[in-house]
Amino acid sequence: MTNHGETTGSSENGKTTGHGEYEANDGHGAAARPETYTEPTAYVGHGAGHQITLRTPAELADALPYLLGYRPEDSMVLVALHEKDVRGRFGGRARLGIPPNADDWASAARQLVHGLVTGSERRGARPEQMVVYLCQEPARGETGQEVMRRLQPLAQELRLACGDLDVPVVEALCIADGRFWSYSCDSQCCPSTGLPMGLPGTSVLAAAATYAGLQVRGTLRELRVRLQPWETAAALEQETALDAAGMALIPRILDDSDRADVATDTLDLAERVMRRLAGAPAVSGILPADMRDDDLIGHDEAATLILGLQDRVTRDHAAEWMEGDEAGPALRLWRALARRCVGPYAEHAAAPLSLAGWVAWSTGDELEAREALAMALGADPEYLFARLLHQACNEGLDPESIRRCLRTGRRGRRETGVQYPALAVPEQSGGGVEQQTELPSADAADFMPTPERSHGRRRTRAGVTQPRPRSNVRGNGASIPRPRTPGSPGAGGTHPGGERAGGTRPSTARKGGAQRREGRSGDTRPAVDGAEDGA
């Protein structure tokens, strides 16, 4: 199950004029979400001068992709309504994957409703009514009508959960197999076979979205494919390159006297690859574009960059490619590197996925930002960089404050002529006093593929992973574990920059070869958001 977040739009996002009639405003709303694993929404249009009235269940069903910015699959979605006594408006959105086990439906419904209502309250606009959507395609041999009947208990659980918080459900729709059903009316209103969905792009709301320059981007599954590890034969070649790069780079990264050179080499290589990507001829289509980028990056280059970005300071400097002409090639590079984190190196994807999420957020694409950051947390739930960015994005913070900090640091390095001062080794000042910028401590375990790094941990009866006592040897003369040697314990210590609380980096062993991740599929944590629909 994939958990996603809520969306609470501004007062112009939508309006309702009583049961069965709603109005969507042609205006952008503020978007924010809570700290759990969530997804974004899109709003219809620019300006606040045009309102689109949605009077029927058919129009509500057609509006869902435009309210979320993508077409949900296997999802229960809530849309909050406000100002029911005047001309109500759409408020927050919340999406949660439908649990495959019906025994989990009541709990999931309570989590989703609680997340949306409390998130909206935190933003100062408690929902007064709710619209419920259940979206699921039929299984093999199943009809859309059977899906509707099977999900009816879930619709009732959502009604009860909303009622417990004094928020009535005014419409509940099931969308399956190109048809929709309303749980809120009898068969005289909706036939048992349901009603067909309108052709995509033919509604008034679709026309308004097109006029406003907004676009529904397909499904989240299609977005995740761009960020998931390879499953082709080339994955084995990439894994071999990562093994070789680890043997060459890890000793240098752990050696404080050589670590600055590794950072410089990593960032210089990233800049060369970005220039190569920027100069590549354009191709039509997402898949061909990603394949073109993959062909432009060698296995050895990708391995060097992936391992180099495991260093916190190197990664933070790479985050400065966030705007202007640099942002596009940087985002393409981070996506490509995430696809190269194959096999036991899946956890290494946290760095490029976080960078991809940051650049996407910085350039205004909150949908990809939240999904990439959620996937980074799926790769490593304790990755602080992703966690902080994810929370900031969900809370609706302006990325400009982060951009200003990064610009200041970059400008300062240019003015002083010191390219990477945070990685500087001790120097003597003019007065003979030693000047040093402290190097974050490095640990071999942070650079090992996943099976290596999971040996030094044990599980308690409660299922909580705890670190085993381990020696903390690093720096000059450190004993470097050989990458991918079964049975050898990973070195202990702290993550670069102290990113891991407790002094160890938790990891979960992944079996098999290059398996694709589905973001945070299977997670049961709900999403909470304060202003709209996974540091």
Side-chain angles (χ1 to χ4, degrees):
M1 183 178 71
T2 306
N3 293 329
H4 302 280
E6 85 159 271
T7 352
T8 311
S10 70
S11 60
E12 291 83 27
N13 285 342
K15 295 184 179 290
T16 148
T17 57
H19 178 68
E21 182 170 323
Y22 314 88
E23 290 186 4
N25 194 310
D26 183 13
H28 282 308
R33 294 187 314 175
E35 55 228 20
T36 50
Y37 305 103
T38 54
E39 283 166 15
T41 63
Y43 298 99
V44 184
H46 301 277
H50 303 286
Q51 292 179 345
I52 303 154
T53 302
L54 307 177
R55 294 186 175 87
T56 66
E59 291 173 333
L60 277 177
D62 179 78
L64 181 58
Y66 300 96
L67 294 173
L68 295 179
Y70 59 90
R71 301 185 184 279
E73 298 177 312
D74 292 326
S75 301
M76 46 182 170
V77 179
L78 297 179
V79 179
L81 300 174
H82 303 281
E83 301 176 8
K84 64 179 181 180
D85 295 330
V86 195
R87 294 182 64 82
R89 57 181 174 82
F90 285 127
R93 289 76 156 154
R95 191 205 80 94
L96 191 64
I98 296 176
N101 189 340
D103 293 339
D104 298 327
W105 286 357
S107 174
R110 288 193 298 271
Q111 290 175 333
L112 185 63
V113 173
H114 180 268
L116 178 55
V117 172
T118 57
S120 298
E121 287 176 336
R122 192 169 64 247
R123 305 289 295 188
R126 191 179 196 276
E128 298 181 43
Q129 296 176 324
M130 203 77 76
V131 177
V132 171
Y133 296 87
L134 299 178
C135 309
Q136 192 171 75
E137 288 305 298
R140 180 175 298 181
E142 189 179 31
T143 66
Q145 185 176 358
E146 290 170 336
V147 172
M148 180 272 295
R149 290 173 177 167
R150 175 168 53 80
L151 294 181
Q152 190 163 8
L154 176 56
Q156 181 62 16
E157 293 291 352
L158 288 165
R159 285 184 183 274
L160 292 173
C162 289
D164 289 343
L165 296 179
D166 295 323
V167 182
V169 172
V170 296
E171 185 63 88
L173 299 174
C174 177
I175 300 175
D177 198 24
R179 307 182 76 82
F180 73 91
W181 292 259
S182 173
Y183 292 117
S184 301
C185 65
D186 55 30
S187 58
Q188 294 179 353
C189 174
C190 296
S192 60
T193 56
L195 293 170
M197 297 284 292
L199 293 175
T202 59
S203 67
V204 174
L205 188 58
T210 301
Y211 177 78
L214 297 180
Q215 195 173 21
V216 174
R217 299 180 54 180
T219 67
L220 291 177
R221 183 179 305 170
E222 294 168 350
L223 179 59
R224 293 187 193 113
V225 166
R226 307 191 72 184
L227 302 169
Q228 291 169 342
W230 285 349
E231 287 184 325
T232 64
L236 294 177
E237 299 175 14
Q238 184 60 64
E239 188 175 329
T240 300
L242 284 162
D243 290 342
M247 292 297 296
L249 290 179
I250 291 174
R252 297 182 61 200
I253 294 174
L254 298 181
D255 184 349
D256 288 349
S257 65
D258 206 15
R259 192 165 163 216
D261 291 337
V262 176
T264 300
D265 294 344
T266 299
L267 294 168
D268 288 346
L269 174 59
E271 285 189 301
R272 292 197 301 273
V273 174
M274 285 168 53
R275 287 194 294 270
R276 192 185 309 159
L277 294 174
V283 297
S284 177
I286 291 176
L287 179 60
D290 287 344
M291 293 177 65
R292 171 206 59 198
D293 292 346
D294 289 337
D295 290 340
L296 292 171
I297 305 173
H299 294 313
D300 293 340
E301 291 177 321
T304 298
L305 291 171
I306 289 168
L307 289 172
L309 289 172
Q310 304 308 304
D311 178 80
R312 178 182 64 85
V313 179
T314 307
R315 178 208 64 203
D316 289 351
H317 288 326
E320 294 170 359
W321 298 317
M322 60 191 173
E323 57 190 344
D325 294 338
E326 295 175 330
L331 181 56
R332 289 162 58 189
L333 174 58
W334 309 143
R335 289 187 193 129
L337 294 182
R339 296 192 292 268
R340 303 291 189 104
C341 294
V342 297
Y345 292 90
E347 189 171 305
H348 288 61
L353 284 170
S354 297
L355 289 168
W358 159 239
V359 176
W361 183 32
S362 177
T363 54
D365 188 349
E366 293 189 4
L367 177 59
E368 181 168 0
R370 289 190 173 116
E371 194 60 29
L373 293 169
M375 290 178 68
L377 290 170
D380 183 353
E382 300 301 320
Y383 199 64
L384 185 60
F385 184 61
R387 192 193 308 168
L388 293 175
L389 287 174
H390 196 231
Q391 182 174 351
C393 184
N394 289 342
E395 292 294 335
L397 301 182
D398 188 347
E400 177 59 23
S401 60
I402 304 175
R403 285 194 294 260
R404 279 198 301 268
C405 293
L406 293 173
R407 289 189 203 110
T408 300
R410 192 177 194 181
R411 184 165 54 249
R413 292 196 303 278
R414 287 175 177 170
E415 292 173 353
T416 61
V418 180
Q419 191 172 12
Y420 306 117
L423 298 171
V425 296
E427 295 179 355
Q428 297 291 328
S429 67
V433 180
E434 186 176 73
Q435 303 285 326
Q436 178 180 7
T437 301
E438 183 179 356
L439 282 165
S441 57
D443 185 341
D446 291 311
F447 303 92
M448 292 293 102
T450 304
E452 280 293 334
R453 291 156 56 179
S454 27
H455 280 299
R457 308 185 68 79
R458 59 185 174 86
R459 299 192 68 83
T460 65
R461 288 185 180 179
V464 178
T465 303
Q466 294 183 349
R468 297 183 186 276
R470 298 188 292 186
S471 61
N472 184 22
V473 181
R474 59 177 178 264
N476 292 331
S479 175
I480 308 300
R482 179 180 179 85
R484 294 180 44 73
T485 303
S488 61
T494 57
H495 184 269
E499 287 209 10
R500 296 295 180 275
T504 58
R505 180 172 184 164
S507 62
T508 302
R510 289 164 172 77
K511 299 181 181 179
Q515 298 179 349
R516 285 188 180 272
R517 299 187 309 281
E518 290 296 331
R520 292 202 57 78
S521 179
D523 200 323
T524 57
R525 284 174 285 186
V528 185
D529 178 33
E532 95 158 280
D533 159 8

